[in-house]
Amino acid sequence: MTRRTTLALTFLTLTLAACGRPSSAPAVTDPQTGTVSVGSSHGDHALAAPGPDRSRLPARAALGPATVRNAARLSTQALPANAQPDVVALKVLILSSGPGDYGLEAARALLAGSGIPFDVLDASRAPLDMAALVAPDGSGRYQGVILTDSALIMDAGDGTYPSALNSAEWDTLFEYERTFRVRQLALYGAPGSVPEDYGLRYVAGAETDTTSLKLNAAGRTVFSDLKGAAIPVSYSYTYPSALQSVPGVSTQVLATDPAGRVLAATSTSADGRERLILTSAQNPYLTHSQLLGRGLAQWLTRGVHLGEHRRFLQVDIDDVFLEGDHLTSDLTFTTPFRMSGSDLLNVRAQQDRVRSNYPAAPDFRYAMMFNGGGANTAVPTLCTDSPWLTRDLLSSVARCLNTQFDWVNHTLDHQRMDVMPLSTATTQIQQNLSVGAKLGLRMSRASLVTGEHSGLGFMDPTDDGTRNDDGTAGPKQDLGLGRSNPNLLSAAVSSGVTYLASDHSVASQWDAQCPTCGVPHPLNPGVFLLPRWPNSVAYHVTTPAEATAFYNSLYAPGGLFPYWDRNLTYAEFLDRESDQALTHILNGTPFPHFMHQPNLRQYAGGKSLATDWVRAALDKYSTYSTLPLNTLRWDDLGRYVQRHTAETKAREAGTLSGRWDRRTNTVRLSSSAGTVPVTLTGASAGAPYGTDRTAQFDLSGTLDVSVTPR
């Protein structure tokens, strides 16, 4: 067997972070990161690699034959006399085999995706005794246990693969699970009889790193949002297995490969413990891990846990009412493009068709990030394509469709706000709101997107604020949020803005420790940042030919940064893009993806690049899942993410907790640090979402809530 290696699959995006008119500024490459900045009159556009780093995709990540060291049972590992086996904390224990444990990141991501608090115990360094599992009052510290692999093996480097737990520690764990009726999830295993038997044996010679997983009826009960489509299992070492009759062990197959061999199963041990094992390695960036994650979390917790798993589809369109660069399919710039009133009417029709064609997206709507300096407020309202009746059909149609989209302030003129006086920043924000009001737009007034996400410290350090309508003299650098423009922040707050868009491709503008959280601005507590995802639909293209020509000029053979072995077709381009979108959706990140107004051009009947992207993402998502996708207006999204962030930080700090008494099916929620928001999945009176019920509370002190376990 080979030494275990980390399964790392990093999906990188083509980042087109701004918009503007043509520029002859050269491309500048950062030799440390490989990130490329392409100049434009409105700023630079960071371009990252178009796909996974192939050097980080190991062909094999195999498990060695596990051995368990013998140890005499210690009296201190016996159950305490005051044990309360019906009472457990709403928290999960992750058991890790130590440094290099490839399953740890996957376990963390699985729980974080549902907001479930957890502890990690490095079994190679810390002992597992009953004190680690049972609280002083006799209640259980954990409602579920995750093993990063079924035997917690370590590579000793001498051809042996000892378990990180000795026999006494395994016995202690099993005794806790049996007594407190705690389920155990093994994220990966080569099924055998060590340290315990699941009633499966891996089929020698069938090992693979590419297969597919298909759920049976029992599997669809566990993974309640998934359909019957085969799920790809790629870049993941897998041990297809067969059932093995074992006295006292009852095994239920959940999923199989194309040959009918077992890839997932639940199993009840001879002493009554409930276990679930997967025979493929997991990684938070792999499709099968993302699709299975929600169901695994629900099974492990019996559907009762702090936090929730919720999915989103938010799409922003920047620069509405302005002209923007237009790159043709022969890679030359032509007359600047401004979407027409006819385009906007068609976008409304496209949006309606998305809602009707995709049950998973019943509330989908675009957010229109508008720049009122390009609008005309002295025009009539028109709901038809009649340009001869108005001086600006786009403004007239916007009046008609004032409630059909979420209209969001993008400043009056899209000026760069890195170095801008307070008075100018205030004018740019407030006058744009005034234009929106004159047009009758239904606006998210508490939200703001600055041009190029400027004013947040990602800037040209030599910028002196004298050329805010032009491109920067030098490339932008991430100087951190501490270099944000305080005038912008003050102007935003005084204008009623709370939620400010940031750029997810800039490291300082999102929280790597909490991928689903927003960021309270460190310089102004009245401003809360919502990161936005870039994508590979370039800001200056309007047709499939233009989109693929630009993309291939970068990443096809002969391009600036060749990656693919051929020019991609538009269908291949959308397939890759929908993979990226699917990753973000399944991870539960509530952040918008952003594109630009040229991407809404009706290039053919009822078609635009932006809606092609949306439909490709929904086609892929709907192939696998029925869980509805949320689309919120920006002000509502901001409130949701702000609340979610406060709750997550309180759980991580240990000031927010839950304790489940299974005799009465009551959860006692507790806050020890003032009033905090709390979400409880499994609440009997909660609002339905998919097959779950969730309830939200503003908690100070304690609150008892009735729950209904699955």
Side-chain angles (χ1 to χ4, degrees):
M1 295 291 181
T2 61
R3 184 185 178 106
R4 299 187 302 170
T5 53
T6 301
L7 282 175
L9 182 61
T10 303
F11 288 102
L12 302 174
T13 58
L14 168 68
T15 303
L16 293 168
C19 49
R21 297 178 292 276
S23 171
S24 58
V28 179
T29 302
D30 181 339
Q32 299 297 318
T33 65
T35 300
V36 179
S37 297
V38 179
S40 87
S41 60
H42 275 182
D44 37 33
H45 317 293
L47 308 177
D53 179 354
R54 296 185 182 103
S55 68
R56 300 180 67 192
L57 300 179
R60 296 176 65 84
L63 296 169
T67 59
V68 175
R69 294 162 292 141
N70 289 324
R73 178 180 291 276
L74 302 177
S75 59
T76 56
Q77 292 183 313
L79 282 167
N82 65 340
Q84 300 183 64
D86 289 313
V87 181
V88 291
L90 293 189
K91 182 181 278 192
V92 167
L93 175 64
I94 300 174
L95 288 176
S96 165
S97 60
D101 185 340
Y102 53 79
L104 181 55
E105 185 183 7
R108 290 178 181 272
L110 184 153
L111 296 174
S114 292
I116 299 171
F118 60 87
D119 289 332
V120 177
L121 188 146
D122 181 347
S124 71
R125 297 177 178 177
L128 179 65
D129 56 22
M130 207 54 86
L133 300 171
V134 181
D137 68 355
S139 63
R141 294 185 186 273
Y142 303 105
Q143 66 178 132
V145 174
I146 294 181
L147 308 178
T148 53
D149 74 72
S150 59
L152 294 178
I153 65 170
M154 304 178 294
D155 186 349
D158 59 2
T160 63
Y161 296 86
S163 172
L165 296 180
N166 62 35
S167 59
E169 291 172 313
W170 280 113
D171 287 344
T172 299
L173 176 65
F174 296 158
E175 179 69 5
Y176 173 75
E177 292 174 347
R178 182 191 66 80
T179 302
F180 285 82
R181 304 195 308 281
V182 166
R183 286 176 168 174
Q184 173 186 293
L185 167 62
L187 280 181
Y188 180 31
S193 59
V194 178
E196 62 172 331
D197 209 316
Y198 288 84
L200 296 172
R201 296 291 183 272
Y202 79 85
V203 179
E207 302 93 332
T208 180
D209 62 5
T210 302
T211 184
S212 63
L213 176 154
K214 190 170 182 61
L215 298 171
N216 59 19
R220 288 192 295 274
T221 299
V222 172
F223 303 98
S224 58
D225 71 302
L226 298 185
K227 298 181 177 180
I231 296 171
V233 180
S234 302
Y235 309 118
S236 174
Y237 204 72
T238 300
Y239 290 93
S241 302
L243 285 170
Q244 173 73 35
S245 178
V246 177
V249 174
S250 174
T251 303
Q252 173 65 66
V253 176
L254 303 179
T256 55
D257 69 3
R261 294 170 295 210
V262 181
L263 300 185
T266 53
S267 178
T268 303
S269 65
D271 61 359
R273 292 178 301 109
E274 296 179 74
R275 306 156 304 171
L276 192 155
I277 187 170
L278 305 172
T279 66
S280 296
Q282 306 302 310
N283 182 280
Y285 299 102
L286 297 176
T287 298
H288 70 278
S289 297
Q290 295 164 347
L291 285 168
L292 297 176
R294 171 184 174 271
L296 293 172
Q298 291 299 90
W299 179 87
L300 182 65
T301 62
R302 303 178 191 269
V304 176
H305 60 80
L306 293 176
E308 66 175 345
H309 182 92
R310 193 169 289 269
R311 296 177 185 163
F312 295 81
L313 180 60
Q314 308 276 154
V315 181
D316 296 349
I317 305 296
D318 286 7
D319 309 341
V320 175
F321 297 128
L322 290 183
E323 290 184 339
D325 287 353
H326 184 190
L327 188 74
T328 65
S329 58
D330 61 3
L331 302 179
T332 60
F333 284 100
T334 185
T335 304
F337 179 86
R338 180 179 185 257
M339 66 183 292
S340 68
S342 177
D343 289 330
L344 191 60
L345 285 167
N346 213 273
V347 171
R348 188 263 307 267
Q350 293 169 30
Q351 182 175 271
D352 289 345
R353 283 194 293 273
V354 166
R355 294 174 181 169
S356 62
N357 292 347
Y358 296 95
D363 301 317
F364 174 75
R365 73 175 67 236
Y366 284 109
M368 299 293 186
M369 299 7 223
F370 72 97
N371 302 98
N376 188 332
T377 59
V379 294
T381 300
L382 291 178
C383 299
T384 59
D385 188 0
S386 306
W388 56 89
L389 297 177
T390 178
R391 285 175 289 176
D392 180 21
L393 185 60
L394 178 58
S395 296
S396 288
V397 171
R399 283 186 177 278
C400 171
L401 303 182
N402 59 344
T403 64
Q404 299 301 300
F405 310 106
D406 181 25
W407 297 91
V408 181
N409 192 346
H410 195 26
T411 74
L412 187 69
D413 298 313
H414 201 287
Q415 292 185 19
R416 195 169 56 255
M417 306 181 84
D418 295 318
V419 183
M420 179 178 280
L422 178 62
S423 60
T424 307
T426 302
T427 296
Q428 283 291 312
I429 297 169
Q430 293 185 0
Q431 287 194 4
N432 201 50
L433 290 173
S434 178
V435 170
K438 290 177 181 178
L439 289 173
L441 305 180
R442 182 182 176 187
M443 295 180 287
S444 283
R445 288 182 169 269
S447 302
L448 174 68
V449 182
T450 59
E452 305 174 25
H453 299 107
S454 57
L456 296 176
F458 181 62
M459 58 182 290
D460 173 1
T462 69
D463 192 349
D464 61 5
T466 60
R467 302 172 62 243
N468 289 333
D469 281 326
D470 304 317
T472 58
K476 292 185 179 183
Q477 301 174 31
D478 185 3
L479 305 180
L481 292 177
R483 281 293 299 272
S484 297
N485 183 354
N487 294 326
L488 163 64
L489 303 178
S490 295
V493 172
S494 67
S495 303
V497 171
T498 300
Y499 309 113
L500 187 59
S502 63
D503 187 342
H504 202 287
S505 67
V506 177
S508 68
Q509 295 184 17
W510 63 286
D511 186 349
Q513 301 304 311
C514 181
T516 60
C517 291
V519 180
H521 201 289
L523 300 184
N524 192 318
V527 174
F528 186 80
L529 303 182
L530 268 69
R532 300 197 300 167
W533 295 106
N535 59 58
S536 298
V537 182
Y539 79 100
H540 48 25
V541 296
T542 69
T543 69
E546 293 168 1
T548 52
F550 176 70
Y551 185 83
N552 287 329
S553 74
L554 297 174
Y555 301 122
L560 288 175
F561 316 103
Y563 181 87
W564 305 111
D565 60 359
R566 66 191 183 286
N567 283 345
L568 297 192
T569 66
Y570 185 56
E572 290 171 327
F573 168 78
L574 287 178
D575 181 61
R576 177 198 170 272
E577 276 297 293
S578 59
D579 283 342
Q580 303 277 0
L582 184 65
T583 292
H584 297 158
I585 290 170
L586 294 176
N587 284 346
T589 50
F591 309 135
H593 292 82
F594 68 98
M595 288 180 266
H596 297 81
Q597 58 90 18
N599 307 145
L600 284 183
R601 175 187 177 186
Q602 184 185 195
Y603 70 79
K607 291 182 176 293
S608 66
L609 296 179
T611 302
D612 286 352
W613 183 95
V614 169
R615 294 181 71 94
L618 285 170
D619 282 339
K620 194 155 287 183
Y621 178 78
S622 299
T623 296
Y624 302 116
S625 180
T626 62
L627 194 65
L629 300 178
N630 294 272
T631 301
L632 304 180
R633 292 185 178 274
W634 248 81
D635 283 358
D636 295 330
L637 181 67
R639 283 186 284 270
Y640 174 86
V641 177
Q642 192 172 34
R643 181 183 179 93
H644 168 79
T645 301
E647 178 178 356
T648 301
K649 297 300 183 182
R651 289 198 305 264
E652 291 175 348
T655 60
L656 174 62
S657 61
R659 177 181 165 109
W660 181 10
D661 187 334
R662 291 177 299 192
R663 293 168 301 181
T664 60
N665 271 327
T666 301
V667 166
R668 172 157 292 183
L669 302 172
S670 301
S671 169
S672 60
T675 301
V676 294
V678 58
T679 305
L680 179 64
T681 293
S684 300
Y689 178 58
T691 56
D692 306 328
R693 285 188 174 273
T694 61
Q696 293 186 330
F697 310 94
D698 291 313
L699 177 67
S700 177
T702 63
L703 176 68
D704 291 337
V705 181
S706 295
V707 294
T708 304
R710 292 173 55 177

